[in-house]
Every structure is written in structure tokens, then in C-alpha cells.
Amino acid sequence: MAALFKARKALAMAVSYGTRSLTQLAELPELHQMLRQTCRDYAEKELAPVAGQLDKNHTFPAKQVRELGAMGVMAVEVPESLGGAGMNYLAYSLAVEELSRGCASTGVIVSVNNSLYLGPVLAFGTEEQKQQWISPFTTGEKVGCFALSEPGNGSDAGAASTLARQEGDEWVLNGTKAWITNCWDASAAVVFATTDKSLKHKGISAFLVPMPHPGLSLGKKEDKLGIRASSTANLILEDCRIPLGNLLGQRGMGFKIGMQTLDSGRIGIASQALGIAQAALDCAADYAHKRTAFGAPIARLQAIQFKLADMAVALESARLLTWKAAMLRDAKKPYSKATAMAKLAASEAATFVSHQAIQVLGGMGYVTDMPAERHYRDARITEIYEGTSEIQRLVIANQVLKEYQQ
């Protein structure tokens, strides 16, 4: 009887938790709905009208970033005591999606500052480091960047050739970091460098480096296919000296810090991809109602309807996966597989939906008079940065195989 009672109690708790989880996936909490609507309104009024021009001119949206900082969006998860909004990762995901719907470049700038820069400092920094390296980066006046990739390693994050050696009370960094988003506009970077080659990936450490700084220079801004309003370049370290106290976490923890940061960051990129996909679907559906052919709106054509249906299914499926990943992280449950699934599904949905949007628009989808071509260009990077689709499939497969070994 005791065993039966325990089983019933466990089942009741499971049902209760499951119902709450499903309800949250079906209908967001009121505070999250308010945040989502606020970001949507801002994106429609302040981002969408200028997104094309920002993209064309490669212009960093400094004014908008400051305004988003005032709204708390540049530091969603950071506690209020440090100047942030003190909300959770689901809130962060919603904000990035809605902002990316208006301007994907602004979306990635927000994502990098939140998850790749502030995230690791919040998780691994000392109280003193948090005061120095988090609080000034919550208002939008300053943004940070994340320097892990190198010209020769790409997806092999453990093969860092950038070196850090200790000299007296300083670290001396030498090497080149590649594809660093925000770097031309950043005031600080989380930099990964090898402190002990013999330990391979366990010999990588993470450092906080102010920008600009002696010994640190930037390569040329990359002329990119998409997200052109965000800066991307090499970060070059030549005898760059920083205090010993700028070590983030413990010596040798860099690889762990990097991988944990990317796990969370993938929720941000999935959310960016959702925003791009939603904008592309919005564009296609609106055009289908307005464009007439054969004496009627093309929205009445089954071929167009099937495209819109497939686009909507891909988008909504990816959105639910992304919300689930964010909720698992907020619940402090294992979320690596979920974030990889979300990032894979959302990025591939963005590419698919934006491609189909151009098909719906026909020739008008191929010119800059309409935003469809920009959505298509912006979508492509979401399958590459913060882990390619191929890497996501490896992460998912490894997790699935482990589950079947237990």
C-alpha cells in the first residue's frame, strides 16, 4: 500500500508539472506576453522601417541599442541589483525573436551581448568582476563580444592556438580570433586562450579583455551576405597584457565556459531565426492577399496555400522547441539536446521559410524594394554561427545514443 501511495503521489506531481509546462507552451505567462508585445511594438515602429537602410549602409544601430538598454532588453537575465531586467531565459528568447522580426542585425547584437558576453560573466565571474564587467553593459551604452573561434579551428573549439602566459602579475595574450560579432562596436571581450598546451582542451582559459586596449587590434570589417548592420572581424592580440584578476573562472575552465555559454547562446540564435522566419512569412502572406493573377488574389491558389501552410508548420514547430529549451534552462534541467534541436530546427526553418517567401513573391522577392531578399540573406547565417547544423546534429545524436545506453 505504501508503494502504491508513493506511485500515485509521483504520478500526480508529474501530471501537475506536465500540465504547467504544456500550458506555458500553449499560452505564455502574462508578464511574458507583455514583454513580447512591447518588443513587437518597438520592432514595428523603430526597427522594421530602418532595417533595410541599416543593412545597406552596414550601420550599427547605436540609437536603438541604447533604447533597448533602457527597456532592459540588453541584459534580460541579469539581476536588477546589477542593472539588468532580472527575468528568465524564456523572456530573453521572446525579446530576441520579436526584435529579429524587425531587424535581424539588431537581434544578433542583443543576443551576443546577453548570452555570449554577459552570460559567462554572470555564471563564472566573481562579485568584483560582475560589478566591473556586467553593470556598465546593461544600459546599451556599451556592448560586449565573445572571442572563441579562430581562423584555423572553426567548429573545433578545443584547438585554440591563441596563447596566454603569465608574467608577474599580468597575463600576456597572443593570437588571432575570427568571426567576432560586435567587435568593432564592443567595449569588452570574453577571450579564450590556451594556458597549458599539454592539457589540450583542458588547458584553455577564459579572460576578460577591455576594448580598446594596448596590444589588441581589429581586422577589417567583413563584407557579409546578411546581418550587415552588425560588425564582424578578426580580433588580433599581440602581447596584449591584462591583470591576473581578469581571468574568468578558474585556470583551465575555458573550454567548459565556452561550451556552456554556447549551449545557452543557441537559444538566442534559434530565437533570431524564428524572428527572421516570422518576418518572411508575414511578407509572403501579405503579398499573397494583395497580388492578383488570373483575376483573383494569388492567396486563392492552392500552390500558394500549400507553401504558406508548410512555412507556418516549420515556424511553429521550431518555436515550440525553442520555448521548451528556454524553459528547461530556466528550470535548471539538462538542456543541451533541447538547445541543439531548437537551433537546428529554427535555423533550417528560417532558411526554408525565407526561400519559400521569395517563391511566393516571384520577381518582387528578388529585389530590395521588398524585404524578402534581406530575410533570405539574414537567415543563412543562423545555420552556421554558434554551431553549424552539422554540429547540432552531432550533439543531438550523441545525447540520443547516451539515453539508449542507460
Side-chain angles (χ1 to χ4, degrees):
M1 289 296 293
L4 180 60
F5 175 77
K6 287 182 180 179
R8 285 179 176 172
K9 185 177 180 181
L11 179 60
M13 291 176 65
V15 169
S16 175
Y17 175 78
T19 302
R20 290 199 305 273
S21 299
L22 289 171
T23 300
Q24 197 165 349
L25 282 172
E27 184 178 7
L28 294 167
E30 185 177 356
L31 185 61
H32 290 71
Q33 290 184 41
M34 291 172 58
L35 172 70
R36 189 185 195 192
Q37 190 61 52
T38 299
C39 291
R40 181 175 297 178
D41 292 343
Y42 181 85
E44 288 177 355
K45 294 175 184 176
E46 304 295 337
L47 294 178
V50 299
Q53 203 62 31
L54 293 173
D55 173 82
K56 182 179 179 179
N57 297 331
H58 298 217
T59 304
F60 180 78
K63 170 180 172 290
Q64 288 82 358
V65 168
R66 287 193 298 271
E67 290 171 349
L68 291 170
M71 292 165 56
V73 176
M74 295 305 294
V76 177
E77 196 186 27
V78 172
E80 293 182 56
S81 59
L82 291 171
M87 296 187 71
N88 62 12
Y89 233 69
L90 179 59
Y92 162 64
S93 173
L94 296 170
V96 172
E97 177 183 344
E98 294 302 331
L99 297 175
S100 299
R101 187 177 182 179
C103 174
S105 293
T106 303
V108 77
I109 292 165
V110 171
S111 179
V112 168
N113 194 68
N114 271 274
S115 59
L116 297 191
Y117 174 72
L118 293 176
V121 183
L122 187 62
F124 296 96
T126 64
E127 288 306 311
E128 183 180 349
Q129 286 175 334
K130 289 175 184 179
Q131 292 294 333
Q132 180 180 354
W133 301 95
I134 289 182
S135 295
F137 292 81
T138 61
T139 64
E141 295 294 332
K142 294 182 178 182
V143 297
C145 61
F146 179 82
L148 176 64
S149 295
E150 296 185 358
N153 68 5
S155 296
D156 186 7
S161 59
T162 297
L163 301 176
R165 69 178 188 275
Q166 184 177 344
E167 284 190 5
D169 58 356
E170 293 180 317
W171 291 105
V172 183
L173 279 59
N174 281 281
T176 299
K177 294 295 180 177
W179 313 113
I180 311 305
T181 303
N182 282 2
C183 66
W184 270 88
D185 307 287
S187 298
V190 177
V191 177
F192 295 83
T194 297
T195 48
D196 190 336
K197 283 186 177 181
S198 67
L199 297 177
K200 298 183 180 179
H201 72 278
K202 292 183 179 180
I204 298 173
S205 300
F207 302 90
L208 295 164
V209 182
M211 298 171 66
H213 192 69
L216 185 155
S217 60
L218 300 174
K220 67 176 181 65
K221 289 185 182 180
E222 301 291 350
D223 189 5
K224 307 189 297 280
L225 175 70
I227 55 164
R228 294 159 67 89
S230 68
S231 62
T232 305
N234 283 359
L235 191 154
I236 304 159
L237 302 155
E238 298 173 298
D239 287 336
C240 179
R241 295 176 176 272
I242 57 174
L244 290 181
N246 286 27
L247 176 69
L248 179 62
Q250 300 298 314
R251 183 170 179 162
M253 283 182 61
F255 188 78
K256 176 185 176 181
I257 293 172
M259 294 305 99
Q260 184 171 314
T261 300
L262 289 177
D263 265 353
S264 297
R266 285 167 185 154
I267 297 174
I269 298 307
S271 304
Q272 181 202 22
L274 292 175
I276 296 169
Q278 184 66 65
L281 178 58
D282 294 344
C283 181
D286 180 66
Y287 186 81
H289 279 299
K290 295 175 179 176
R291 172 79 163 95
T292 59
F294 309 107
I298 63 172
R300 294 186 183 179
L301 299 174
Q302 190 178 65
I304 299 298
Q305 292 175 358
F306 279 10
K307 286 187 184 298
L308 294 173
D310 290 343
M311 293 158 72
V313 169
L315 170 58
E316 195 62 31
S317 302
R319 179 176 286 129
L320 291 175
L321 277 172
T322 303
W323 288 6
K324 178 183 177 182
M327 290 165 59
L328 285 172
R329 187 187 183 282
D330 288 334
K332 299 187 180 347
K333 294 181 178 293
Y335 62 95
S336 293
K337 184 178 78 170
T339 59
M341 284 181 164
K343 204 265 189 184
L344 176 64
S347 61
E348 294 194 348
T351 301
F352 169 74
V353 173
S354 59
H355 177 275
Q356 292 302 304
I358 290 178
Q359 288 301 112
V360 172
L361 270 67
M364 287 303 296
Y366 201 67
V367 294
T368 57
D369 294 20
M370 297 289 282
E373 60 83 30
R374 172 165 47 84
H375 301 324
Y376 186 62
R377 290 187 288 105
D378 287 340
R380 193 63 189 86
I381 189 58
T382 64
E383 290 190 65
I384 298 172
Y385 59 14
E386 295 197 37
T388 62
S389 292
E390 291 74 18
I391 291 295
Q392 304 316 310
R393 286 183 165 88
L394 285 175
V395 171
I396 295 164
N398 286 337
Q399 292 290 330
V400 169
L401 290 170
K402 284 181 182 177
E403 290 167 8
Y404 277 88
Q405 281 180 333
Q406 296 173 357

